[in-house]
Amino acid sequence: MSTETPPQEHPHAPRIESGTGTSLAAWVQRIDDAGGRELDHTAIARLLPQRWEISEWWAQGVTVAYEQIIGRRVVGQGCAGDFAASASRTLPGDPDAVRSRWDAFMSAARREELGLEQPSLSDTPKWRYWRAAVSDGSRLSVNITAKDEERSTLGIEHKGLETADAREVWTTTWKTTLTDFTDVTDVT
């Protein structure tokens, strides 16, 4: 039984074609012709911009889609075999205000319910971070940056999940958590 997916059925095929000017089916053929099935992720991602006019950013996306199409990985699976869940929301306020509201929302009781350890907070000139280890050994990073003068984007990245099922559970959990956070902390 083949685990391959036709390129036209890949969920990101239209976006890849729009962004690169080349259909995903054509990328698959190019990579196959270059021996892609024998190459690892890094080798494919490096090959693409060397041989064809494609940015390194798009090369990563094409490589991941290729690996999903040939059955090397499934959606949400990293090249190391683990999975990641994510969710994001644009919220009113500057990054400091949004992180402060998030930190207050993620009370000790809520963190315990989610299996999160005590968070660490850090800053760069453009980003605010709220990170916590998770009791299952995975890692959570909440990344906040200004979208414009009045709003910020809060992105949740939950990495190191062991299964696709865990990815689905955590994706749903984080989307629900963001909805609850927005409902509770709506300042507009």
Side-chain angles (χ1 to χ4, degrees):
M1 182 172 118
S2 174
T3 59
E4 293 189 25
T5 302
Q8 66 274 15
E9 292 181 19
H10 191 278
H12 299 302
R15 186 170 54 136
I16 288 171
E17 183 169 359
S18 175
T20 67
T22 302
S23 72
L24 186 52
W27 283 117
V28 169
Q29 188 62 54
R30 287 177 179 181
I31 297 167
D32 276 349
D33 290 348
R37 292 179 190 246
E38 287 76 44
L39 300 175
D40 68 10
H41 176 88
T42 302
I44 297 168
R46 287 183 180 155
L47 172 77
L48 295 178
Q50 289 172 354
R51 287 216 183 154
W52 298 283
E53 194 169 315
I54 183 173
S55 71
E56 290 180 8
W57 189 87
W58 277 110
Q60 286 293 329
V62 169
T63 301
V64 169
Y66 174 77
E67 291 174 323
Q68 291 168 342
I69 286 166
I70 67 169
R72 190 178 289 172
R73 71 163 90 181
V74 297
V75 174
Q77 186 177 28
C79 58
D82 60 346
F83 292 83
S86 63
S88 66
R89 187 74 48 99
T90 298
L91 302 159
D94 65 43
D96 290 322
V98 171
R99 185 180 62 191
S100 179
R101 292 195 316 262
W102 176 262
D103 192 42
F105 175 77
M106 293 301 287
S107 64
R110 190 178 310 273
R111 289 192 317 269
E112 182 178 345
E113 181 181 316
L114 293 167
L116 303 178
E117 303 295 328
Q118 180 72 27
S120 66
L121 283 61
S122 60
D123 302 348
T124 68
K126 292 186 177 186
W127 292 89
R128 302 299 176 266
Y129 299 99
W130 189 98
R131 296 181 174 120
V134 186
S135 59
D136 65 4
S138 59
R139 304 163 312 284
L140 180 71
S141 182
V142 178
N143 313 311
I144 305 160
T145 191
K147 185 171 183 94
D148 55 37
E149 290 185 21
E150 298 176 0
R151 301 176 303 160
S152 295
T153 300
L154 182 148
I156 297 173
E157 295 179 323
H158 190 155
K159 296 182 178 180
L161 301 170
E162 292 188 12
T163 66
D165 288 342
R167 175 186 182 270
E168 292 303 317
V169 167
W170 280 109
T171 296
T172 300
T173 298
W174 293 125
K175 286 179 179 181
T176 301
T177 300
L178 277 177
T179 298
D180 293 347
F181 174 63
T182 302
D183 291 347
V184 169
T185 64
D186 191 6
V187 295
T188 57

